[in-house]
Amino acid sequence: MKKTTLLAAAIAGLSFSQASMAEVFAFIEMPLTPSQEAVTTPTPAPAPDSLGYGRITAFYDNTTKIFTYNVNWKLQDESVPITQDGGNNHLHGPADVGASAGVVLALPDLPETNSGNASGSVTFTEEQAAAFESELLAGRMYYNIHSTLASGGEIRGQLIPNREDARNAIYQNSQITLTNVLVPGIQGAQSYDAVLNLVNGVFVLTTATPLR
């Protein structure tokens, strides 16, 4: 059973409901990998020599401009997050896979531990939303963890949102329902109808029906 751990209070604060018309975009279990750090533009750079990995799940409400997220990480042995450009983990963009870009938003610092889990939320300023919201929703932003092994970034994940017809998440009775969720997999990205239930403070992916 696949698990997605989220900050329940923060998600509830987004007021997911059928009555709410806020447009909420979901980024479900985006993989964090060293290989995504390899870029060809603007300056070619190889991936760091790391076996690190992780996942990030996030929701973005384009009415409140709140970005709520949960991240799990495991870095190369003895490597820990390190402060770079005002923080040790950021949203970068705009950039496609294989390209790098500057910091858009510094997220609250991760603990300086080799592995861990963290949840939180940040609010885009009006200026940030005007400049980068469309890029985020177009899949042209990425999440990056800087470390003692690779100050430019050890593991990175491209943020791929739901399809246009699936941007309204429903939170009701301790359950999140998401339709047409884009989830990266071994065979490439696939779309699912997903249901997550809150069990002992953890959101558990209980249903994932592939869309054919």
Side-chain angles (χ1 to χ4, degrees), residues 120-183:
S121 64
V122 291
T123 302
F124 277 56
T125 65
E126 290 184 8
E127 293 77 11
Q128 289 168 334
F132 297 108
E133 181 180 278
S134 62
E135 303 289 356
L136 173 66
L137 303 185
R140 301 191 67 239
M141 302 280 283
Y142 62 92
Y143 172 79
N144 196 27
I145 296 179
H146 304 267
S147 75
T148 51
L149 175 71
S151 61
E154 181 173 342
I155 54 176
R156 159 182 166 170
Q158 198 76 16
L159 297 175
I160 305 173
N162 284 353
R163 287 165 34 171
E164 184 70 14
D165 59 353
R167 60 191 178 191
N168 288 323
I170 299 171
Y171 179 75
Q172 196 170 46
N173 298 326
S174 298
Q175 182 180 85
I176 293 177
T177 301
L178 302 166
T179 59
N180 294 346
V181 180
L182 188 61
V183 180

Side-chain angles (χ1 to χ4, degrees), residues 47-191:
D49 185 13
S50 168
L51 296 177
Y53 58 89
R55 296 272 179 173
I56 182 170
T57 290
F59 294 92
Y60 178 72
D61 186 321
N62 74 346
T63 298
T64 64
K65 312 303 181 186
I66 294 175
F67 182 86
T68 302
Y69 65 94
N70 171 261
V71 59
N72 298 273
W73 74 93
K74 169 65 176 75
L75 303 178
Q76 179 70 16
D77 291 348
E78 299 184 4
S79 178
V80 298
I82 188 174
T83 298
Q84 185 79 7
D85 295 327
N88 61 23
N89 68 132
H90 306 94
L91 297 183
H92 292 248
D96 296 313
V97 175
S100 63
V103 171
V104 171
L105 188 64
L107 303 182
D109 278 350
L110 301 175
E112 294 181 3
T113 56
N114 177 253
S115 63
N117 174 282
S119 297
S121 64
V122 291
T123 302
F124 277 56
T125 65
E126 290 184 8
E127 293 77 11
Q128 289 168 334
F132 297 108
E133 181 180 278
S134 62
E135 303 289 356
L136 173 66
L137 303 185
R140 301 191 67 239
M141 302 280 283
Y142 62 92
Y143 172 79
N144 196 27
I145 296 179
H146 304 267
S147 75
T148 51
L149 175 71
S151 61
E154 181 173 342
I155 54 176
R156 159 182 166 170
Q158 198 76 16
L159 297 175
I160 305 173
N162 284 353
R163 287 165 34 171
E164 184 70 14
D165 59 353
R167 60 191 178 191
N168 288 323
I170 299 171
Y171 179 75
Q172 196 170 46
N173 298 326
S174 298
Q175 182 180 85
I176 293 177
T177 301
L178 302 166
T179 59
N180 294 346
V181 180
L182 188 61
V183 180
I186 295 176
Q187 302 302 320
Q190 297 180 343
S191 292

